[in-house]
Amino acid sequence: MRETMGAKKELQYFQIGNAYGGSQRWMKDPWMHIGGCGALTNCDTCIYLALYHDMKELCPVDPATLTKKEYVKFAMSMKLYLRPRNTGIKDLPTYIHGAMSYFEDSGVRSLSMEGFEGSRPLAEAREAIRKQIDIDIPIPYLMLKHHDNAFNFFEWHWFLVNGYDEREDGFYIKVATYGKAHWLSLDRLWDTQEEEKGGLVLIRI
């Protein structure tokens, strides 16, 4: 495993007005407002791929000039593939099936997805995130329950990883959710000390 202490990379991202990516709070549909994080994470992934990997088919409008109203409409179309439910989209295969169905229906067949379970070692998670970000592809991340109250905001939630930073005090990831960017310690985040672990979705082109 390579030594990259001090390495840092942040992907280019997108803004909608003053928001960093999309936001679940914009959803007027009650189910999407409460539990649309999986669908919105895939929307943000598609917008990113349309902008920076020339996969325009994945976004129904111009991703460079996307408005809040257009984003909400896009999110509602994604609801058909990643439908909110009582327990949320609480496993990687369900997310992957929905996201891949959207990709294929959009005419994009050059993408594949692989689940990286949260039960795997931290060192492997660090390396997987490095490799994915280094090839300029963000990472859908599912976190379920967590023993550390500092992560209550991110519990039972999908969000998008679009950067990493190897600091003296550990490995940090940059995540986008609710229209804002956050830096989180992966070393603390990964060890949930709960039975239900969540994990990563790794995208390949």
Side-chain angles (χ1 to χ4, degrees):
M1 191 166 294
R2 64 177 182 171
E3 182 62 42
T4 56
M5 186 62 67
K8 180 179 182 180
K9 180 165 182 176
E10 298 175 61
L11 300 184
Q12 286 183 283
Y13 205 51
F14 64 95
Q15 293 213 176
I16 302 174
N18 293 324
Y20 185 80
S23 175
Q24 201 170 329
R25 293 194 175 98
W26 301 340
M27 301 299 115
K28 293 181 173 61
D29 178 276
W31 277 103
M32 289 292 283
H33 188 83
I34 296 169
C37 55
L40 268 59
T41 296
N42 201 49
C43 284
D44 288 7
T45 301
C46 289
I47 293 164
Y48 178 89
L49 292 171
L51 279 169
Y52 303 116
H53 288 275
D54 201 32
M55 298 184 183
K56 307 298 185 187
E57 304 94 329
L58 293 178
C59 188
V61 296
D62 184 352
T65 59
L66 191 64
T67 65
K68 186 185 295 187
K69 184 178 180 180
E70 289 170 333
Y71 181 88
V72 170
K73 186 176 180 180
F74 182 27
M76 291 305 295
S77 69
M78 192 65 74
K79 180 184 177 182
L80 302 175
Y81 296 87
L82 290 161
R83 177 179 56 83
R85 54 208 81 189
N86 287 334
T87 57
I89 298 174
K90 57 181 285 189
D91 63 86
L92 306 182
T94 300
Y95 181 94
I96 290 170
H97 175 76
M100 287 299 299
S101 295
Y102 177 79
F103 296 160
E104 290 165 10
D105 286 354
S106 299
V108 175
R109 292 177 171 79
S110 58
L111 295 171
S112 63
M113 287 180 150
E114 175 188 353
F116 184 100
E117 295 290 343
S119 56
R120 292 177 65 172
L122 170 63
E124 292 182 11
R126 286 179 170 186
E127 188 67 6
I129 289 170
R130 280 192 205 102
K131 286 181 176 179
Q132 186 86 7
I133 298 300
D134 283 351
I135 59 171
D136 299 321
I137 302 178
I139 305 162
Y141 191 124
L142 170 64
M143 201 192 79
L144 299 173
K145 297 178 182 177
H146 204 290
H147 77 100
D148 189 339
N149 291 337
F151 298 117
N152 284 353
F153 181 69
F154 299 93
E155 275 199 334
W156 221 262
H157 191 51
W158 284 92
F159 46 87
L160 203 60
V161 180
N162 59 14
Y164 69 84
D165 185 8
E166 298 224 50
R167 306 176 186 176
E168 288 187 4
D169 62 337
F171 189 96
Y172 284 74
I173 56 173
K174 186 179 184 180
V175 308
T177 189
Y178 288 104
K180 293 185 178 180
H182 307 260
W183 282 100
L184 305 177
S185 167
L186 184 71
D187 302 5
R188 292 174 58 194
L189 188 69
W190 194 254
D191 183 18
T192 65
Q193 297 185 28
E194 298 285 350
E195 186 176 347
E196 296 180 294
K197 299 288 188 184
L200 312 172
V201 175
L202 304 177
I203 303 169
R204 304 286 184 244
I205 301 176

